[in-house]
Amino acid sequence: MPAASPRPREPQLSRLLQAGDPCIVAQHQPALVLDYARSRELAARAILAGTGMDDLQAPDAQQAITPTEYLQLLANVAAGLKSPETSFMLGQQMLPGHFGALSHALMQAHSLREAIALLVRFQMQLCPLLAPRFCEEGALAVLYWTDSFGAGAQRGFLVEMHMTAMTAMCRWLGGERLPWRYCFNRTPPRYTEQHEVHLGEQLRFHCHLDAMLIDAAWLDRPWPRANAMAAAVARRAVDAAHAAGSQRSLLCALYDYLLQHIRNAPTLEQCAIEFGVSPATLKRHLARHGSHFQAELDQVRAHVALHLFHGGRHDNDAVARHLGFHDANNFRRSFKRWTGMTPMLLRQGLQAYRLQSGDTSAII
């Protein structure tokens, strides 16, 4: 089951990041995107349109752009290049990145577990547009992504970019290609050559999460590049530079809150009270991210239900009760709306997949 971040009472909405807030340092990931676009000789005017930046060569060291502007930059580059490999090539250079102490800490991570912990803790600095979430289910480790600011039609592009970034970083730091399995919450593209080149052949589409799966035994296997003294110095530098912790977006904070309270059937009104605003104000802010409360609640419920069914120890009634449904039939109808299939069909598919392949990646 996905694990909620251990946090105290939810912060006021005014302290959470939103799509229109300038919170992404232009010299970090946007600069890498600009450099790639420049190497492909794209016209500066087309690249920078709507991005809040006016210099293709060297973004101002003090400048921060909004998530909306960063998404526009990525859209401009993708449209300008018209290449199916763009998302994968951008992902190749994304991590560990050139973000000072944080990138150095990633480079000195002594294991996959430590690298994932850094990625999750400092999501806004390392991968601001999609939030990585990690859970461990017995012998299976799952790294999956949720939306931070409302990616809309660019979601697939971002997923490819982030999965490639994680894959490439692990291969470099671990000294070998890790046996990741990839699940995509989308229909398969017409051609999967780029996926196979950059990610491998263990690809599954028509899933209900965008996730990377790996046997948990790989989590604590020592990485050859790590240096204990350098790692300790890097961690101290990160703690000093980010003493207040990493900020969160509204969508991420809402996901965390809903996940933590999912058994109590949280309502819009309850969430609004926790976030210190009126229900109408919370609805308005979610609409600016291309979402609404019911969609966010359904996403969390679907994720939790999938993990409970994967364990094989929960039937419809147990999962329905866990999610706050008093009527199993209502849960069955809701689950079909979330996933496109009934709980019974999902469970049958899980069991058939396990028997056929002995593979636990059927969780999604």
Side-chain angles (χ1 to χ4, degrees), residues 49-66:
T51 67
M53 294 184 286
D54 55 12
D55 187 351
L56 185 61
Q57 299 298 321
D60 189 321
Q62 304 302 316
Q63 183 181 12
I65 64 174
T66 70

Side-chain angles (χ1 to χ4, degrees), residues 220-243:
D220 299 305
R221 185 171 299 192
W223 280 356
R225 295 181 62 91
N227 177 285
M229 182 175 294
V233 172
R235 285 193 294 269
R236 286 197 297 269
V238 167
D239 290 338
H242 303 276

Side-chain angles (χ1 to χ4, degrees), residues 102-337:
L102 269 177
S103 292
H104 187 55
L106 267 180
M107 291 171 63
Q108 297 299 329
H110 61 74
S111 66
L112 175 58
R113 186 186 297 277
E114 183 173 329
I116 290 176
L118 286 168
L119 201 67
V120 171
R121 180 183 174 191
F122 298 105
Q123 173 256 326
M124 267 308 302
Q125 290 83 3
L126 296 171
C127 45
L129 298 180
L130 291 184
R133 298 179 179 277
F134 175 70
C135 61
E136 203 171 340
E137 295 279 347
L140 182 69
V142 182
L143 180 66
Y144 70 104
W145 280 269
T146 59
D147 201 348
S148 294
F149 294 103
Q154 289 178 258
R155 168 80 186 207
F157 184 96
L158 292 178
V159 167
E160 292 166 354
M161 182 174 161
H162 285 65
M163 286 190 178
T164 303
M166 189 65 186
T167 300
M169 182 184 72
C170 290
R171 186 174 187 176
W172 179 47
L173 297 180
E176 59 185 317
R177 189 162 193 163
L178 302 191
W180 291 106
R181 288 161 282 170
Y182 304 86
C183 300
F184 297 90
N185 185 13
R186 55 168 292 187
T187 58
R190 185 174 181 183
Y191 302 106
T192 60
E193 285 88 347
Q194 294 300 327
H195 291 76
E196 293 170 5
V197 168
H198 294 279
L199 302 179
E201 298 182 354
Q202 295 298 314
L203 310 170
R204 293 185 61 215
F205 296 90
H206 295 298
C207 298
H208 305 291
L209 280 177
D210 292 304
M212 296 170 61
L213 295 79
I214 196 168
D215 291 341
W218 288 88
L219 290 172
D220 299 305
R221 185 171 299 192
W223 280 356
R225 295 181 62 91
N227 177 285
M229 182 175 294
V233 172
R235 285 193 294 269
R236 286 197 297 269
V238 167
D239 290 338
H242 303 276
S246 183
Q247 288 183 284
R248 288 185 296 165
S249 72
L250 167 61
L251 294 185
C252 289
L254 181 58
Y255 185 101
D256 288 341
Y257 176 82
L258 293 173
L259 186 58
Q260 184 178 357
H261 297 86
I262 200 65
R263 303 194 68 170
N264 301 319
T267 65
L268 171 66
E269 290 71 23
Q270 291 169 341
C271 289
I273 291 172
E274 290 294 330
F275 282 63
V277 295
S278 68
T281 297
L282 181 56
K283 288 172 64 176
R284 185 169 65 254
H285 283 287
L286 290 175
R288 290 173 181 169
H289 292 77
S291 188
H292 53 85
F293 179 78
Q294 192 63 49
E296 298 301 314
L297 178 60
D298 288 350
Q299 174 184 235
V300 175
R301 281 175 161 172
H303 289 175
V304 172
L306 290 165
H307 282 269
L308 291 176
F309 281 135
H310 165 252
R313 297 182 298 274
H314 295 78
D315 59 16
N316 284 11
D317 289 339
V319 176
R321 288 194 301 272
H322 187 96
L323 295 178
F325 285 87
H326 300 293
D327 182 350
N329 289 329
N330 187 25
F331 165 69
R332 182 183 60 80
R333 289 191 296 269
S334 296
F335 188 86
K336 186 174 182 180
R337 175 167 53 83

